[in-house]
Structures are given as structure tokens and as C-alpha cells.
Amino acid sequence: MPHSSTQEITDIILKAANKARQEIKPGQEKSFTNPVKWPIDCLVGPGLEGAIACESEIGYVNGSSGELIYRGYNVFDLCAYSNFEEVSYLLIHGHLPTAVQFKKFKKDLVSYRFVPKTIRTLMSFPVEEMNSMAALRLGSNLLRREFSYVDQRTYRPDYPPISSDEDSIPMETRPMGEKHAIYEFNNGKITQRNNKFSELNSPSGLKSCYQLISGVAAVAAAVSRMRQGHLPIEADPELSHAANLLYMLTGRKPTAVEERIMDVALILHADHGMNASTFATMVVASTLSDLYFAVGSGIAALNGPLHGGANEQVLHMLEKIGSVNNVKDWYQKARSRKDKIMGFGHRVYKAYDPRARVLGPLAKYLVEKSENKRSLELFNVATELEKKVVDTLGVEKKIFPNVDFYSGIVYSCMGIPADLFTPIFAVSRVSGWTSRVLEYLKNNRIFRPRAVYVGQFDLDYVPLNKRKGEKSDKK
Ligand code: SDX
């Protein structure tokens, strides 16, 4: 029998699922669920709205009804009965694992949690002064070096670090310019590294997916610790992916409830169709660059406040509003400025985001149990703002809370700092990114859309000395 309070979490999810099923008219958007015969006609708006980039069996976002499906399973059911490791296996392999497959997969994931070289190298950077997603992206690049031998396929020997002391430069003839650079970088000693290049370590193979799912989590946790002035914590092989993430982030083993809620949050963020960061990842991979570069571009795209960066902005917005009494006035002013309200709206959902349907009640559960009265106040601000937005923009423009609206309250109740909200989004989405890259590479075609040229034609070249000055050319 699961720990009683984790059963409460399952009940919250099932209740949200029931509410959704009562409120939405299920149905498939035919245009997005029928196999296509290329080339196809589709109505495309700015920002590739409505464009069909490829076929996929990995996940489906039903925007009109507000449903999210991973490989045929409703995300509500996966949150209620599965876990992030199993969902990652499902996204990558296309089916739920057998007991033997799952045991082997989890063992692999656990082994890839240990990335000492990556963490040690990361610690030589001023991570505490960097944007947390910039640090995460740096770390995912360092993972590439730790896990794949692709840079060494040409057997490029590994030069020792630049020697910096006087002895390395014969005093009487200090080399200058290019000679110096060659001297410094190659003072004769060349150490051989293990250059065994194998498919197993191919930087776009299955193992790289597993390595990135575990490695990005380890890097995110290390970034968090360093930004708080602490040393990174080594992974605990006994803990689940979610529990180990919380442990490495906070330095303490999570309760069963915290573990369960983090696990649900990771499931909810794992995949979401062709969102900007997934598309960025696929574009990079479609050039036959590798998964590490591709995930680095996914992290970069996710960072934006219009995308994954919104979760951190939501918390700052709620803190700025401050109290329930300020919501009305704040919202009126935001509306008059036509501000984008963080945590609301979606390119695809024109109904309530099913992920917000789960994260909202989980946030409520956590704030009601929290000693920190401030989190309860912020939650009340959030629900008051939600009411105002849904009653206005929800009616006028089908704008509802999205996944980022409540996730920050959930994370902060579990002791996670706001600058780690988006990295945690990436920790989860790396499963969706890598699954979709693997799937697309099976039938790869480099992404290369067109732009409509609306510029001029047939201009004659005017030499510089014949060009008339412009008012803005200040002397
Ligand atoms: C994620 O794609 C994905 O699936 C992403 C994601 C995932 O899991 O990967 O779901 C995760 O990124 C969620 C979204 C997080 N971002 C935010 O919460 C930022 C606030 N949201 C908006 O910026 C916006 O809703 C977007 C970016 C999410 C979607 O933008 P679109 O589809 O380009 O819509 P738009 O900007 O063209 O807006 C259409 C209309 C405009 O009004 P008009 O000019 O037609 O009068 O809706 C309005 C917008 O002003 N509008 C909003 C609004 N979002 C859209 N008005 C106020 N507040 C908002 N949040």
C-alpha cells in the first residue's frame, strides 16, 4: 500500500483528471492526427503557427480539448500510476518497459548520474555569476566531452593545459605571436587518451539519451548548489530520479510526498509536441550535429520568458502583486498596457492546459501544509489572478493558465530557488527532446524553411566616397 500521503497525491491527480473529463469534449483534431502524404498543404501563420514539420508517434497535444498524450497514454494516467523513469523509457522506446527492461534502464540512468569530470570542470567557471540556464548549457556541453569520443575520432591527441609558469618559456627568446601559441599549446609532451570510439558512445545514440537524462539533472543540481555557495552533492544511487534530483538540489533526502510531487512535475514537463525548444533541438540534430549540441540548443530556447523561462517570471510577478487586494488594480493596469501575463496563454491550447490542472491543486496541497505563510498568500494571489484572466482573456481570446503558472509555487514549496525553475523544466524536457531527435533521425531531412523576400531588387552599387551622408552620421 503506497505511503498514505502519496495516495493523497494520486487522489489529487485523479480528481483533476475527472474534472477535465467532465469539462472537455474529447475529440481529435483530424488535421493533426492523420498520417500525411508529403508534400502537404497546411495553413501557416507567423512563427510557423499551424505548420506541420514532421510526423511523430511520441506525443500529441490536443489544443482544442486540452489533452496531452504521450505515446497513446493520457498524461493524467501517467501522473497517477507511472513515474518519470518509466515515462522517459516510454517516450524513447515507444512502449512501457517490461520488468527486466525497466531494471536495466534504471541501472543505466543511475550509473550516468555520476559525472565527476563534468562537475569538476564546471566548478572552474564562475557559475554563481552566470544565468542558471547558461550554466546548464555549459554543463551539457561538458557532458559531451565526458561521455562521447566523437571529438577524438580523428585521434586528436589531448594537449596538456596551457603551461603558464616562467619555466615553460626560455627566458632569452620569448616566442611571440603564432610561435608562442604553438609553443604554449604543444610543449612536446602529448598524452594519449582512451580513444575507443564506438557506436555505444555515439553522441547521437541511445546511450547518449540516457546519459543526458541523468547528466543534465546532475548538472542542474550542481549549478544550484554552486549558486547558493555550496559544493555540489554526489548522487545517491539508491534514490529514484526525482528523489535524487531533490537530494542533489537541497542536500536533504525528500519526503515521500515531495518525491512523488517532483516525479509528477517531471512527468508533466517531459514532452509537449513541437514546442520551440524541442523544435530547436530537432533542427540542430537534423544537420547531423549531435545530441549534446542539440540539447544545448534546446536549453537555450527554453530559457526565453515566452517559453520555459515563464515559470520563474510568474513567481516574480506574484511577488510584485504582493497581496490578493492588489490583484484587481494590477491586472487592470497590465490589461491597459496589453502586457503578456506570465503563465497564461498558449500557441496550441485554446482550453485549460491539462498540466496546470494538476499543478494547481498540487500547489494548493503544498501551501496548505507549508509553515511559510507567504507561500499561501502567493497562492491566493495566483488563484485570484487566474479568476480575473479566465473571466476576461479566457472568454475573449481563449487564454488560460499554462504549465508555468503554478509550477513555481510547487517548486518553491519544496525549497527550490526560483532561478532553478527553468533548469528543472529542462531536466524533464530532455526526455522529450532526445526521444524526438532519435525518432526524427530515423528518417532525417535537414530542416530548411523559406522566408518570403519583401526587400528591394536591382539596386546599383554606389562607392563609399559617392554616398550622401545621413542626418544620423554625427561627425
Ligand atoms: C510554454 O509550445 C509549447 O508547448 C510550450 C510549452 C511546452 O511545454 O513546451 O507549453 C511551455 O512555453 C508555455 C508558455 C509559457 N509562456 C508564458 O506564459 C508567457 C506568456 N504567454 C504568451 O507570451 C503567449 O501566450 C505565448 C508565447 C505562450 C503564445 O503566444 P502566441 O501563440 O504567439 O500568441 P500571440 O502572442 O500571438 O497572442 C495572441 C493574442 C494577442 O492579442 P492580440 O494582439 O491578438 O489582440 O493573445 C494575446 C496577445 O496579446 N495574448 C496574451 C497572452 N498570450 C497571448 N495576452 C495577455 N497575456 C498573455 N499571456
Side-chain angles (χ1 to χ4, degrees), residues 242-275:
N244 181 57
L245 175 64
L246 280 172
Y247 166 61
M248 293 175 83
L249 279 167
T250 62
R252 63 175 178 78
K253 304 267 170 88
T255 64
V257 169
E258 288 169 329
E259 173 184 10
R260 179 86 174 88
I261 291 175
M262 176 49 85
D263 194 54
V264 169
L266 291 174
I267 292 173
L268 288 171
H269 286 82
D271 183 64
H272 210 248
M274 295 297 276
N275 59 83

PDB file of all heavy atoms in Angstrom, residues 242-275:
ATOM      1  N   ALA A 242      13.626  11.400  -9.375  1.00  0.00           N
ATOM      2  CA  ALA A 242      13.034  12.611  -8.773  1.00  0.00           C
ATOM      3  C   ALA A 242      13.617  12.853  -7.391  1.00  0.00           C
ATOM      4  O   ALA A 242      14.009  13.973  -7.050  1.00  0.00           O
ATOM      5  CB  ALA A 242      11.511  12.465  -8.685  1.00  0.00           C
ATOM      6  N   ALA A 243      13.723  11.798  -6.599  1.00  0.00           N
ATOM      7  CA  ALA A 243      14.234  11.964  -5.231  1.00  0.00           C
ATOM      8  C   ALA A 243      15.695  12.379  -5.261  1.00  0.00           C
ATOM      9  O   ALA A 243      16.133  13.247  -4.511  1.00  0.00           O
ATOM     10  CB  ALA A 243      14.052  10.672  -4.450  1.00  0.00           C
ATOM     11  N   ASN A 244      16.453  11.777  -6.159  1.00  0.00           N
ATOM     12  CA  ASN A 244      17.874  12.122  -6.249  1.00  0.00           C
ATOM     13  C   ASN A 244      18.045  13.570  -6.706  1.00  0.00           C
ATOM     14  O   ASN A 244      18.936  14.287  -6.217  1.00  0.00           O
ATOM     15  CB  ASN A 244      18.569  11.182  -7.236  1.00  0.00           C
ATOM     16  CG  ASN A 244      20.057  11.480  -7.359  1.00  0.00           C
ATOM     17  OD1 ASN A 244      20.789  11.462  -6.367  1.00  0.00           O
ATOM     18  ND2 ASN A 244      20.487  11.845  -8.554  1.00  0.00           N
ATOM     19  N   LEU A 245      17.178  14.021  -7.606  1.00  0.00           N
ATOM     20  CA  LEU A 245      17.266  15.420  -8.059  1.00  0.00           C
ATOM     21  C   LEU A 245      17.044  16.366  -6.869  1.00  0.00           C
ATOM     22  O   LEU A 245      17.850  17.270  -6.622  1.00  0.00           O
ATOM     23  CB  LEU A 245      16.216  15.684  -9.146  1.00  0.00           C
ATOM     24  CG  LEU A 245      16.094  17.126  -9.642  1.00  0.00           C
ATOM     25  CD1 LEU A 245      17.376  17.578 -10.339  1.00  0.00           C
ATOM     26  CD2 LEU A 245      14.888  17.294 -10.582  1.00  0.00           C
ATOM     27  N   LEU A 246      16.005  16.082  -6.105  1.00  0.00           N
ATOM     28  CA  LEU A 246      15.726  16.940  -4.930  1.00  0.00           C
ATOM     29  C   LEU A 246      16.883  16.851  -3.938  1.00  0.00           C
ATOM     30  O   LEU A 246      17.324  17.849  -3.375  1.00  0.00           O
ATOM     31  CB  LEU A 246      14.420  16.496  -4.264  1.00  0.00           C
ATOM     32  CG  LEU A 246      13.137  16.995  -4.929  1.00  0.00           C
ATOM     33  CD1 LEU A 246      11.915  16.328  -4.295  1.00  0.00           C
ATOM     34  CD2 LEU A 246      13.030  18.519  -4.839  1.00  0.00           C
ATOM     35  N   TYR A 247      17.397  15.655  -3.754  1.00  0.00           N
ATOM     36  CA  TYR A 247      18.509  15.464  -2.789  1.00  0.00           C
ATOM     37  C   TYR A 247      19.729  16.264  -3.231  1.00  0.00           C
ATOM     38  O   TYR A 247      20.329  17.001  -2.441  1.00  0.00           O
ATOM     39  CB  TYR A 247      18.832  13.972  -2.716  1.00  0.00           C
ATOM     40  CG  TYR A 247      20.137  13.655  -2.033  1.00  0.00           C
ATOM     41  CD1 TYR A 247      20.355  14.002  -0.696  1.00  0.00           C
ATOM     42  CD2 TYR A 247      21.173  13.023  -2.730  1.00  0.00           C
ATOM     43  CE1 TYR A 247      21.552  13.721  -0.066  1.00  0.00           C
ATOM     44  CE2 TYR A 247      22.382  12.750  -2.120  1.00  0.00           C
ATOM     45  CZ  TYR A 247      22.577  13.097  -0.796  1.00  0.00           C
ATOM     46  OH  TYR A 247      23.782  12.828  -0.183  1.00  0.00           O
ATOM     47  N   MET A 248      20.044  16.200  -4.528  1.00  0.00           N
ATOM     48  CA  MET A 248      21.226  16.921  -5.016  1.00  0.00           C
ATOM     49  C   MET A 248      20.998  18.429  -5.056  1.00  0.00           C
ATOM     50  O   MET A 248      21.937  19.209  -5.005  1.00  0.00           O
ATOM     51  CB  MET A 248      21.602  16.411  -6.409  1.00  0.00           C
ATOM     52  CG  MET A 248      22.093  14.978  -6.412  1.00  0.00           C
ATOM     53  SD  MET A 248      22.386  14.393  -8.087  1.00  0.00           S
ATOM     54  CE  MET A 248      24.004  15.032  -8.398  1.00  0.00           C
ATOM     55  N   LEU A 249      19.742  18.828  -5.126  1.00  0.00           N
ATOM     56  CA  LEU A 249      19.416  20.274  -5.149  1.00  0.00           C
ATOM     57  C   LEU A 249      19.455  20.847  -3.734  1.00  0.00           C
ATOM     58  O   LEU A 249      19.965  21.929  -3.491  1.00  0.00           O
ATOM     59  CB  LEU A 249      18.005  20.491  -5.708  1.00  0.00           C
ATOM     60  CG  LEU A 249      17.798  20.479  -7.217  1.00  0.00           C
ATOM     61  CD1 LEU A 249      16.314  20.383  -7.542  1.00  0.00           C
ATOM     62  CD2 LEU A 249      18.397  21.713  -7.860  1.00  0.00           C
ATOM     63  N   THR A 250      18.867  20.104  -2.789  1.00  0.00           N
ATOM     64  CA  THR A 250      18.624  20.713  -1.468  1.00  0.00           C
ATOM     65  C   THR A 250      19.581  20.174  -0.402  1.00  0.00           C
ATOM     66  O   THR A 250      19.659  20.737   0.684  1.00  0.00           O
ATOM     67  CB  THR A 250      17.188  20.382  -0.999  1.00  0.00           C
ATOM     68  OG1 THR A 250      17.098  18.938  -0.862  1.00  0.00           O
ATOM     69  CG2 THR A 250      16.146  20.855  -2.000  1.00  0.00           C
ATOM     70  N   GLY A 251      20.232  19.064  -0.671  1.00  0.00           N
ATOM     71  CA  GLY A 251      21.156  18.497   0.327  1.00  0.00           C
ATOM     72  C   GLY A 251      20.454  17.625   1.341  1.00  0.00           C
ATOM     73  O   GLY A 251      21.059  17.085   2.249  1.00  0.00           O
ATOM     74  N   ARG A 252      19.106  17.474   1.192  1.00  0.00           N
ATOM     75  CA  ARG A 252      18.446  16.559   2.136  1.00  0.00           C
ATOM     76  C   ARG A 252      17.549  15.607   1.354  1.00  0.00           C
ATOM     77  O   ARG A 252      17.043  15.939   0.269  1.00  0.00           O
ATOM     78  CB  ARG A 252      17.644  17.329   3.187  1.00  0.00           C
ATOM     79  CG  ARG A 252      16.507  18.134   2.617  1.00  0.00           C
ATOM     80  CD  ARG A 252      15.641  18.788   3.692  1.00  0.00           C
ATOM     81  NE  ARG A 252      14.609  19.588   3.038  1.00  0.00           N
ATOM     82  CZ  ARG A 252      13.497  19.064   2.492  1.00  0.00           C
ATOM     83  NH1 ARG A 252      13.295  17.752   2.532  1.00  0.00           N
ATOM     84  NH2 ARG A 252      12.615  19.840   1.898  1.00  0.00           N
ATOM     85  N   LYS A 253      17.406  14.414   1.946  1.00  0.00           N
ATOM     86  CA  LYS A 253      16.537  13.416   1.287  1.00  0.00           C
ATOM     87  C   LYS A 253      15.091  13.905   1.363  1.00  0.00           C
ATOM     88  O   LYS A 253      14.651  14.314   2.437  1.00  0.00           O
ATOM     89  CB  LYS A 253      16.682  12.061   1.991  1.00  0.00           C
ATOM     90  CG  LYS A 253      18.130  11.543   2.056  1.00  0.00           C
ATOM     91  CD  LYS A 253      18.501  10.637   0.920  1.00  0.00           C
ATOM     92  CE  LYS A 253      19.997  10.345   0.898  1.00  0.00           C
ATOM     93  NZ  LYS A 253      20.415   9.187   1.698  1.00  0.00           N
ATOM     94  N   PRO A 254      14.367  13.887   0.238  1.00  0.00           N
ATOM     95  CA  PRO A 254      12.984  14.380   0.254  1.00  0.00           C
ATOM     96  C   PRO A 254      12.057  13.416   0.988  1.00  0.00           C
ATOM     97  O   PRO A 254      12.344  12.228   1.115  1.00  0.00           O
ATOM     98  CB  PRO A 254      12.624  14.457  -1.220  1.00  0.00           C
ATOM     99  CG  PRO A 254      13.485  13.439  -1.884  1.00  0.00           C
ATOM    100  CD  PRO A 254      14.763  13.399  -1.087  1.00  0.00           C
ATOM    101  N   THR A 255      10.918  13.956   1.437  1.00  0.00           N
ATOM    102  CA  THR A 255       9.874  13.067   1.997  1.00  0.00           C
ATOM    103  C   THR A 255       9.246  12.318   0.819  1.00  0.00           C
ATOM    104  O   THR A 255       9.430  12.704  -0.345  1.00  0.00           O
ATOM    105  CB  THR A 255       8.780  13.915   2.670  1.00  0.00           C
ATOM    106  OG1 THR A 255       8.157  14.716   1.642  1.00  0.00           O
ATOM    107  CG2 THR A 255       9.364  14.814   3.762  1.00  0.00           C
ATOM    108  N   ALA A 256       8.472  11.302   1.147  1.00  0.00           N
ATOM    109  CA  ALA A 256       7.792  10.519   0.098  1.00  0.00           C
ATOM    110  C   ALA A 256       6.872  11.424  -0.720  1.00  0.00           C
ATOM    111  O   ALA A 256       6.773  11.295  -1.946  1.00  0.00           O
ATOM    112  CB  ALA A 256       6.999   9.386   0.740  1.00  0.00           C
ATOM    113  N   VAL A 257       6.248  12.383  -0.042  1.00  0.00           N
ATOM    114  CA  VAL A 257       5.318  13.283  -0.758  1.00  0.00           C
ATOM    115  C   VAL A 257       6.097  14.209  -1.693  1.00  0.00           C
ATOM    116  O   VAL A 257       5.729  14.392  -2.857  1.00  0.00           O
ATOM    117  CB  VAL A 257       4.497  14.118   0.250  1.00  0.00           C
ATOM    118  CG1 VAL A 257       3.744  15.224  -0.452  1.00  0.00           C
ATOM    119  CG2 VAL A 257       3.543  13.225   1.013  1.00  0.00           C
ATOM    120  N   GLU A 258       7.193  14.761  -1.195  1.00  0.00           N
ATOM    121  CA  GLU A 258       7.996  15.659  -2.058  1.00  0.00           C
ATOM    122  C   GLU A 258       8.506  14.896  -3.280  1.00  0.00           C
ATOM    123  O   GLU A 258       8.462  15.376  -4.404  1.00  0.00           O
ATOM    124  CB  GLU A 258       9.176  16.225  -1.263  1.00  0.00           C
ATOM    125  CG  GLU A 258       8.775  17.253  -0.219  1.00  0.00           C
ATOM    126  CD  GLU A 258       9.934  17.588   0.727  1.00  0.00           C
ATOM    127  OE1 GLU A 258      10.781  16.680   0.964  1.00  0.00           O
ATOM    128  OE2 GLU A 258       9.984  18.722   1.211  1.00  0.00           O
ATOM    129  N   GLU A 259       8.966  13.667  -3.033  1.00  0.00           N
ATOM    130  CA  GLU A 259       9.469  12.846  -4.147  1.00  0.00           C
ATOM    131  C   GLU A 259       8.364  12.620  -5.176  1.00  0.00           C
ATOM    132  O   GLU A 259       8.550  12.791  -6.379  1.00  0.00           O
ATOM    133  CB  GLU A 259       9.986  11.512  -3.619  1.00  0.00           C
ATOM    134  CG  GLU A 259      10.369  10.527  -4.709  1.00  0.00           C
ATOM    135  CD  GLU A 259      10.789   9.166  -4.155  1.00  0.00           C
ATOM    136  OE1 GLU A 259      10.610   8.918  -2.937  1.00  0.00           O
ATOM    137  OE2 GLU A 259      11.329   8.379  -4.952  1.00  0.00           O
ATOM    138  N   ARG A 260       7.179  12.308  -4.677  1.00  0.00           N
ATOM    139  CA  ARG A 260       6.051  11.993  -5.570  1.00  0.00           C
ATOM    140  C   ARG A 260       5.657  13.235  -6.368  1.00  0.00           C
ATOM    141  O   ARG A 260       5.386  13.160  -7.565  1.00  0.00           O
ATOM    142  CB  ARG A 260       4.871  11.501  -4.721  1.00  0.00           C
ATOM    143  CG  ARG A 260       3.633  11.156  -5.499  1.00  0.00           C
ATOM    144  CD  ARG A 260       3.637   9.727  -6.027  1.00  0.00           C
ATOM    145  NE  ARG A 260       2.360   9.401  -6.637  1.00  0.00           N
ATOM    146  CZ  ARG A 260       2.058   9.628  -7.942  1.00  0.00           C
ATOM    147  NH1 ARG A 260       2.977  10.152  -8.736  1.00  0.00           N
ATOM    148  NH2 ARG A 260       0.883   9.326  -8.432  1.00  0.00           N
ATOM    149  N   ILE A 261       5.638  14.378  -5.701  1.00  0.00           N
ATOM    150  CA  ILE A 261       5.230  15.612  -6.402  1.00  0.00           C
ATOM    151  C   ILE A 261       6.280  16.012  -7.428  1.00  0.00           C
ATOM    152  O   ILE A 261       5.958  16.368  -8.563  1.00  0.00           O
ATOM    153  CB  ILE A 261       4.975  16.745  -5.389  1.00  0.00           C
ATOM    154  CG1 ILE A 261       3.710  16.424  -4.574  1.00  0.00           C
ATOM    155  CG2 ILE A 261       4.835  18.097  -6.088  1.00  0.00           C
ATOM    156  CD1 ILE A 261       3.412  17.392  -3.452  1.00  0.00           C
ATOM    157  N   MET A 262       7.548  15.878  -7.088  1.00  0.00           N
ATOM    158  CA  MET A 262       8.600  16.200  -8.067  1.00  0.00           C
ATOM    159  C   MET A 262       8.506  15.246  -9.260  1.00  0.00           C
ATOM    160  O   MET A 262       8.637  15.639 -10.414  1.00  0.00           O
ATOM    161  CB  MET A 262       9.979  16.102  -7.418  1.00  0.00           C
ATOM    162  CG  MET A 262      11.152  16.327  -8.359  1.00  0.00           C
ATOM    163  SD  MET A 262      11.005  17.811  -9.380  1.00  0.00           S
ATOM    164  CE  MET A 262      11.645  19.028  -8.299  1.00  0.00           C
ATOM    165  N   ASP A 263       8.221  13.984  -8.959  1.00  0.00           N
ATOM    166  CA  ASP A 263       8.105  12.984 -10.026  1.00  0.00           C
ATOM    167  C   ASP A 263       6.957  13.362 -10.969  1.00  0.00           C
ATOM    168  O   ASP A 263       7.094  13.334 -12.193  1.00  0.00           O
ATOM    169  CB  ASP A 263       7.847  11.615  -9.398  1.00  0.00           C
ATOM    170  CG  ASP A 263       8.057  10.496 -10.400  1.00  0.00           C
ATOM    171  OD1 ASP A 263       9.138  10.442 -11.009  1.00  0.00           O
ATOM    172  OD2 ASP A 263       7.120   9.709 -10.609  1.00  0.00           O
ATOM    173  N   VAL A 264       5.841  13.789 -10.405  1.00  0.00           N
ATOM    174  CA  VAL A 264       4.683  14.184 -11.228  1.00  0.00           C
ATOM    175  C   VAL A 264       5.040  15.416 -12.057  1.00  0.00           C
ATOM    176  O   VAL A 264       4.748  15.489 -13.247  1.00  0.00           O
ATOM    177  CB  VAL A 264       3.458  14.457 -10.331  1.00  0.00           C
ATOM    178  CG1 VAL A 264       2.334  15.130 -11.105  1.00  0.00           C
ATOM    179  CG2 VAL A 264       2.952  13.166  -9.699  1.00  0.00           C
ATOM    180  N   ALA A 265       5.737  16.361 -11.441  1.00  0.00           N
ATOM    181  CA  ALA A 265       6.131  17.574 -12.181  1.00  0.00           C
ATOM    182  C   ALA A 265       7.058  17.211 -13.338  1.00  0.00           C
ATOM    183  O   ALA A 265       6.924  17.723 -14.456  1.00  0.00           O
ATOM    184  CB  ALA A 265       6.826  18.559 -11.239  1.00  0.00           C
ATOM    185  N   LEU A 266       7.966  16.266 -13.116  1.00  0.00           N
ATOM    186  CA  LEU A 266       8.872  15.843 -14.191  1.00  0.00           C
ATOM    187  C   LEU A 266       8.090  15.153 -15.309  1.00  0.00           C
ATOM    188  O   LEU A 266       8.358  15.369 -16.492  1.00  0.00           O
ATOM    189  CB  LEU A 266       9.959  14.913 -13.639  1.00  0.00           C
ATOM    190  CG  LEU A 266      10.991  15.551 -12.703  1.00  0.00           C
ATOM    191  CD1 LEU A 266      11.916  14.479 -12.120  1.00  0.00           C
ATOM    192  CD2 LEU A 266      11.811  16.626 -13.410  1.00  0.00           C
ATOM    193  N   ILE A 267       7.105  14.351 -14.952  1.00  0.00           N
ATOM    194  CA  ILE A 267       6.278  13.691 -15.976  1.00  0.00           C
ATOM    195  C   ILE A 267       5.538  14.751 -16.803  1.00  0.00           C
ATOM    196  O   ILE A 267       5.527  14.717 -18.022  1.00  0.00           O
ATOM    197  CB  ILE A 267       5.265  12.715 -15.330  1.00  0.00           C
ATOM    198  CG1 ILE A 267       5.989  11.524 -14.706  1.00  0.00           C
ATOM    199  CG2 ILE A 267       4.223  12.254 -16.347  1.00  0.00           C
ATOM    200  CD1 ILE A 267       5.090  10.593 -13.891  1.00  0.00           C
ATOM    201  N   LEU A 268       4.984  15.734 -16.103  1.00  0.00           N
ATOM    202  CA  LEU A 268       4.158  16.745 -16.794  1.00  0.00           C
ATOM    203  C   LEU A 268       4.970  17.591 -17.766  1.00  0.00           C
ATOM    204  O   LEU A 268       4.450  18.081 -18.763  1.00  0.00           O
ATOM    205  CB  LEU A 268       3.486  17.658 -15.770  1.00  0.00           C
ATOM    206  CG  LEU A 268       2.351  17.039 -14.956  1.00  0.00           C
ATOM    207  CD1 LEU A 268       1.938  17.979 -13.839  1.00  0.00           C
ATOM    208  CD2 LEU A 268       1.151  16.699 -15.860  1.00  0.00           C
ATOM    209  N   HIS A 269       6.274  17.758 -17.486  1.00  0.00           N
ATOM    210  CA  HIS A 269       7.098  18.639 -18.342  1.00  0.00           C
ATOM    211  C   HIS A 269       7.889  17.874 -19.392  1.00  0.00           C
ATOM    212  O   HIS A 269       8.630  18.477 -20.158  1.00  0.00           O
ATOM    213  CB  HIS A 269       8.103  19.414 -17.474  1.00  0.00           C
ATOM    214  CG  HIS A 269       7.497  20.525 -16.656  1.00  0.00           C
ATOM    215  ND1 HIS A 269       6.870  20.293 -15.450  1.00  0.00           N
ATOM    216  CD2 HIS A 269       7.423  21.854 -16.871  1.00  0.00           C
ATOM    217  CE1 HIS A 269       6.445  21.447 -14.958  1.00  0.00           C
ATOM    218  NE2 HIS A 269       6.757  22.419 -15.794  1.00  0.00           N
ATOM    219  N   ALA A 270       7.706  16.539 -19.455  1.00  0.00           N
ATOM    220  CA  ALA A 270       8.640  15.724 -20.242  1.00  0.00           C
ATOM    221  C   ALA A 270       8.558  15.945 -21.741  1.00  0.00           C
ATOM    222  O   ALA A 270       9.568  15.945 -22.437  1.00  0.00           O
ATOM    223  CB  ALA A 270       8.431  14.246 -19.912  1.00  0.00           C
ATOM    224  N   ASP A 271       7.360  16.112 -22.263  1.00  0.00           N
ATOM    225  CA  ASP A 271       7.245  16.281 -23.713  1.00  0.00           C
ATOM    226  C   ASP A 271       6.029  17.132 -24.041  1.00  0.00           C
ATOM    227  O   ASP A 271       5.064  17.149 -23.284  1.00  0.00           O
ATOM    228  CB  ASP A 271       7.077  14.907 -24.416  1.00  0.00           C
ATOM    229  CG  ASP A 271       7.024  15.069 -25.937  1.00  0.00           C
ATOM    230  OD1 ASP A 271       8.026  15.505 -26.512  1.00  0.00           O
ATOM    231  OD2 ASP A 271       5.949  14.813 -26.524  1.00  0.00           O
ATOM    232  N   HIS A 272       6.112  17.860 -25.149  1.00  0.00           N
ATOM    233  CA  HIS A 272       4.946  18.696 -25.479  1.00  0.00           C
ATOM    234  C   HIS A 272       4.935  19.075 -26.952  1.00  0.00           C
ATOM    235  O   HIS A 272       4.910  20.255 -27.298  1.00  0.00           O
ATOM    236  CB  HIS A 272       4.902  19.953 -24.611  1.00  0.00           C
ATOM    237  CG  HIS A 272       3.501  20.412 -24.390  1.00  0.00           C
ATOM    238  ND1 HIS A 272       2.990  21.560 -24.909  1.00  0.00           N
ATOM    239  CD2 HIS A 272       2.479  19.832 -23.715  1.00  0.00           C
ATOM    240  CE1 HIS A 272       1.723  21.699 -24.577  1.00  0.00           C
ATOM    241  NE2 HIS A 272       1.380  20.658 -23.847  1.00  0.00           N
ATOM    242  N   GLY A 273       4.959  18.065 -27.796  1.00  0.00           N
ATOM    243  CA  GLY A 273       4.851  18.326 -29.233  1.00  0.00           C
ATOM    244  C   GLY A 273       6.013  19.142 -29.754  1.00  0.00           C
ATOM    245  O   GLY A 273       7.141  19.032 -29.271  1.00  0.00           O
ATOM    246  N   MET A 274       5.725  19.963 -30.758  1.00  0.00           N
ATOM    247  CA  MET A 274       6.824  20.672 -31.423  1.00  0.00           C
ATOM    248  C   MET A 274       6.954  22.085 -30.847  1.00  0.00           C
ATOM    249  O   MET A 274       6.898  23.077 -31.545  1.00  0.00           O
ATOM    250  CB  MET A 274       6.555  20.743 -32.924  1.00  0.00           C
ATOM    251  CG  MET A 274       6.551  19.421 -33.600  1.00  0.00           C
ATOM    252  SD  MET A 274       8.171  18.643 -33.490  1.00  0.00           S
ATOM    253  CE  MET A 274       8.978  19.402 -34.853  1.00  0.00           C
ATOM    254  N   ASN A 275       7.129  22.144 -29.536  1.00  0.00           N
ATOM    255  CA  ASN A 275       7.338  23.461 -28.907  1.00  0.00           C
ATOM    256  C   ASN A 275       8.688  24.013 -29.324  1.00  0.00           C
ATOM    257  O   ASN A 275       9.520  23.301 -29.886  1.00  0.00           O
ATOM    258  CB  ASN A 275       7.261  23.289 -27.389  1.00  0.00           C
ATOM    259  CG  ASN A 275       8.307  22.320 -26.909  1.00  0.00           C
ATOM    260  OD1 ASN A 275       9.441  22.687 -26.713  1.00  0.00           O
ATOM    261  ND2 ASN A 275       7.944  21.053 -26.815  1.00  0.00           N
TER     262      ASN A 275
END
